[in-house]
Amino acid sequence: MSTATLAQALNTALGDALREDPDVHILGEDVGTLGGVFRITDGLAAEFGPQRCLDTPLAEAGILGTAVGMAMYGLRPVVEMQFDAFAYPAFEQLVSHVAKMRNRTAGKLPLPITIRIPYGGGIGGVEHHSDSSEAYYAHTPGLHVVTPATVADGYGLLRAAIASDDPVVFLEPKRLYWSKDEFAPAPVEPIGRAVVRRQGTSATLLTYGPSLPVCLEAAEAAKAEGWDLSVVDLRSLTPFDDETVCAAVRATGRAVVVHEASGFGGVGAEIAARVMERCFHHLAAPVLRVTGFDIPFPPPMLERHHLPGVDRILDAVARLQWEQ
Amino acid sequence: MTLLDQPAGAPLGSVWPPDAHGPRRDPAPLLPDPEPLRVLGTSVADKLDPELLRELYRRLVLGRRYNQQATTLTKQGRLAVYPASTGQEACQIAAAMVLRDTDWLFPSYRDTLAVVSRGVRPVEALTLLRGDAHHGWDPKAHRVAPLSTPLATQAPHAVGLAHAARLRGDDVVALTTVGDGGTSEGDFHEALNFAGVLNAPVVFLVQNNGYAISVPLAKQSAAPTLAHKAVGYGISGRLVDGNDAAAMHTVLSEAVEHARSGRGPVLVEAVTYRLEAHTNADDATRYRTPDEVTAWQARDPLHLLETHLREAGLIDDAAVAAAAQAAEELAAEMRAEFHAEPELDPLSLFEHVYAEPTPQLREQAAMLAAELAAEADAR
Ligand SMILES: Cc1ncc(C[n+]2csc(CCOP(=O)(O)OP(=O)(O)O)c2C)c(N)n1
């Protein structure tokens, strides 16, 4: 097996999808000649032509709205939003049409659109380049929201997203783009399943996307404190895998949810509530959350204070009422 | 140097800026007509196919009756709300008539008459407004997209569909309708721009009826005409009298042909008037005078065409009576269809959110099923 970065795995997934299905079309800003600002579409316009990997005008609502019409005609558009905060102009199209068209038309007009959005901080981006916007999307019925945290999932989840007959918001943790791992394009499993990345006995960290490596690091560091932590990678925020999450939490009796996005009204609140409702009698402590602060994303030189780090995660684990 | 001091006359693109800044086009052919084009009352009308004019008339009569009946159904509580297109029927029917079966219509929320003129049954066209479901007809069977309630958001859909059809080598034109207010929305502009860049076969029909609810056009836009908005996107703009059914048919036919032949998208502004209030829930007396309405009633599209046809000796009393009779039949059909109570299945709410319901939706559906069972038991 050779190694690849997450960016390369995503690029391979797009190339394979374009090759296997003539209905797949990529569109977005700078995705053609340049190959995208993160090079995720590198070489695709050269191989598949400028129509299959289309450089569009700068207009996110126009891009997504055009993709809606293309999907109505039977194509499978894959849209790239250049950055998290620049997907907001397309929010109306996403919420009012992409998410609702199948439901509105009782299944007559499904919209198999994949919306790729680089998200999250950790790359020293100036303002508007580091938002974690997953809660907006996860709160919207009709969308699937997935986020890979590993190189293998970058490929597998993206193929699954493009193959899905429902719209999928595909959130790419931009700080993991350059993370490397062994990689061979693997068969695609349907989206919606979480995976236990580390099996432990003392407490369970529930996380996704950019926070997975931080949680795995925290689990390693926790050994020194005598804690053996489980780490669950959610992969899919909608649909949510209650089964895997609850099994993992029940096995340890303690849980901490970790994500970069601000905590208030965030996905972590939903996860904590779901765990509390389903696992209450198995819990030895309240479910805690480690999240970004409830502030606009900070300037690059301060972002490390905002992002959940190993110490903050271990502090939360320490608060899980071990004295009982 | 101010803008006004800049030298004129050099052909665009021949001087600075360099290539990367192109393409540049000569704007002159794109500029809209100085006056809304009229056909009725001009010599052009005499050259039109009399059968086409009679067909327009029959459809106008049907359209007017459709608007009246839908308004009545609202008063009877059979429709939750109805935005009438009374006064705009010429725009509505022309938009439907100029399209081929394989073309697509992307209507805005006021355009159910265009939808019906495309062959959709009134009860299906009005499902959203009746309130039993969000949408009634099969979009693919009729090549009519669902009514778009968020203004102008359907415009980029029309562009995407037309673009996709072209990619597949299919001969398909998409026509989308927008109100004068809707032309201020970002999606409208993004759609015009995309259509221009992609050279997508799309016709944008703006029905300028003077008002966006209460806001008059003067507060909506400082453009000389709404058709001028085309020029900035390098596409053609046309200005037409929206109450002149013959002019509407002529201009829209040309626009569709223009798009179909690969010459690019067209923006058509139809100058018309909404004779009724915004919807049955609106009080139009708060923002316009009875005199204004009366003045426009004199330009009622139905009267204009009927007068022309009678003067030209193209219809007689029997033809008028026959059109009225067909309209009464349509109204009777609407009453019958709306008299029947719609069948509601609360559990269908979960069926089409996704291709397969998520585990969470399955749980919630089970909860509602239990509530329904308990309700049934209690009865
Ligand atoms: C994005 C959006 N904003 C506001 C509204 C509420 N709204 C419904 S109709 C309307 C006026 C529309 O005016 P116009 O586009 O001129 O169309 P008309 O009603 O005259 O047919 C408004 C403001 C809406 N439907 N969508």
Side-chain angles (χ1 to χ4, degrees), chain A residues 92, chain B residues 109-110 149-151 179-182 185 209 211-213 274 278:
Chain A
E92 184 187 26
Chain B
Y109 75 103
R110 194 183 294 286
T149 306
L151 298 170
D180 44 295
E185 293 281 0
N209 63 12
Y211 293 88
I213 309 185
R274 193 190 73 209
H278 166 65

Side-chain angles (χ1 to χ4, degrees), chain A:
Chain A
M1 217 191 273
S2 57
T3 62
T5 62
L6 175 61
Q8 286 163 341
L10 295 167
N11 179 265
T12 306
L14 292 172
D16 288 355
L18 286 165
R19 203 167 294 114
E20 284 170 28
D21 183 354
D23 286 339
V24 173
H25 280 69
I26 294 172
L27 62 163
E29 295 155 10
D30 302 292
V31 297
T33 309
L34 183 69
V37 293
F38 291 107
R39 306 291 183 269
I40 308 301
T41 56
D42 196 20
L44 299 179
E47 184 175 351
F48 299 97
Q51 294 294 352
R52 299 280 309 278
C53 188
L54 182 73
D55 274 331
T56 66
L58 247 168
E60 293 75 13
I63 295 170
L64 190 53
T66 300
V68 169
M70 291 167 74
M72 284 168 77
Y73 202 72
L75 300 185
R76 243 169 226 282
V78 180
V79 163
E80 175 172 308
M81 293 289 158
Q82 202 157 66
F83 278 88
D84 30 60
F86 309 139
Y88 300 145
F91 198 66
E92 184 187 26
Q93 285 290 341
L94 188 68
V95 172
S96 291
H97 292 302
V98 174
K100 292 185 172 134
M101 193 68 82
R102 172 190 286 278
N103 185 64
R104 176 182 305 142
T105 60
K108 296 269 179 5
L109 281 183
L111 295 180
I113 303 175
T114 302
I115 301 132
R116 298 181 33 246
I117 309 177
Y119 84 120
I123 62 159
V126 293
E127 202 186 358
H128 303 111
H129 291 76
S130 299
D131 281 11
S132 290
S133 34
E134 63 268 29
Y136 306 133
Y137 306 124
H139 188 63
T140 304
L143 302 176
H144 289 313
V145 183
V146 303
T147 175
T150 66
V151 173
D153 273 359
Y155 183 87
L157 276 181
L158 184 50
R159 291 301 306 272
I162 297 170
S164 169
D165 288 332
D166 287 314
V168 180
V169 175
F170 189 86
L171 296 167
E172 301 175 359
K174 63 173 91 76
R175 71 157 126 154
L176 301 185
Y177 272 149
W178 305 279
S179 64
K180 257 201 163 86
D181 206 347
E182 297 206 322
F183 169 66
V188 177
E189 47 173 323
I191 56 181
R193 299 302 295 198
V195 59
V196 179
R197 297 288 182 198
R198 187 183 195 282
Q199 195 80 56
T201 52
S202 343
T204 301
L205 304 181
L206 302 169
T207 191
Y208 53 88
S211 298
L212 177 69
V214 189
C215 285
L216 289 172
E217 205 187 314
E220 279 309 302
K223 287 200 279 195
E225 312 285 333
W227 295 314
D228 180 15
L229 302 183
S230 286
V231 178
V232 177
D233 174 3
L234 297 171
R235 305 203 285 185
S236 168
L237 303 180
T238 37
F240 190 80
D241 187 354
D242 284 307
E243 206 182 310
T244 303
V245 166
C246 289
V249 173
R250 285 179 190 147
T252 61
R254 290 176 169 83
V256 178
V257 189
V258 182
H259 64 55
E260 272 189 26
S262 301
F264 193 89
V267 167
E270 174 65 26
I271 298 169
R274 302 187 81 81
V275 169
M276 219 83 91
E277 286 167 357
R278 286 166 177 74
C279 310
F280 186 75
H281 296 291
H282 300 263
L283 288 173
V287 179
L288 297 182
R289 284 175 291 161
V290 178
T291 70
F293 296 127
D294 293 328
I295 56 172
F297 199 88
M301 291 165 84
L302 291 169
E303 71 173 333
R304 71 181 181 85
H305 301 291
H306 174 69
L307 297 171
V310 169
D311 289 345
R312 208 173 279 160
I313 294 169
L314 292 180
D315 284 350
V317 172
R319 282 186 280 126
L320 290 173
Q321 303 187 356
W322 300 97
E323 66 282 358
Q324 284 174 0

